[in-house]
Every structure is written in structure tokens, then in C-alpha cells.
Amino acid sequence: MAREYVWLVCTETGDRNYRVQKETRGTERLRLRKYCKRLRRHTIHEESRKK
């Protein structure tokens, strides 16, 4: 099973707040509701691969 680390980026501030492992085969981009420290509330975070 191929797994890799991806960053979860807040859609409102652009901050990289979380790093998670993800299965790479046959999966779509992650889109989760997580806590943003800067805004002090839950926001949508999307997957971003670190270069």
C-alpha cells in the first residue's frame, strides 16, 4: 500500500495547519472541516502536496 504525507491547507487563510497520511491509489483530494488556529474556528481544509 502506497501512502504519502499531504498538508491540509485552510481555504480562508491559506495556512498549512495539519499534516496527514493518505492512501495514494484511487482516492480523491481530501476536503475536511478542521480547526484553524488563526481564525479560532472550524473551516474547510483542502489537501495540498508539499513540494
Side-chain angles (χ1 to χ4, degrees):
M1 306 255 173
R3 297 186 74 82
E4 70 176 18
Y5 283 103
V6 294
W7 286 91
L8 295 181
V9 178
C10 178
T11 56
E12 296 185 28
T13 63
D15 293 345
R16 288 182 174 175
N17 295 326
Y18 297 94
R19 189 178 116 174
V20 296
Q21 275 191 351
K22 178 189 166 189
E23 177 67 38
T24 56
R25 287 190 183 172
T27 58
E28 297 179 9
R29 293 185 64 157
L30 287 176
R31 188 172 163 91
L32 302 172
R33 191 169 165 86
K34 301 286 275 181
Y35 184 77
C36 179
K37 290 183 267 186
R38 182 183 291 188
L39 298 176
R40 292 190 221 153
R41 62 186 171 98
H42 285 83
T43 59
I44 300 295
H45 284 66
E46 293 182 336
E47 172 185 333
S48 170
R49 285 183 173 83
K50 188 171 182 181
K51 295 181 180 182

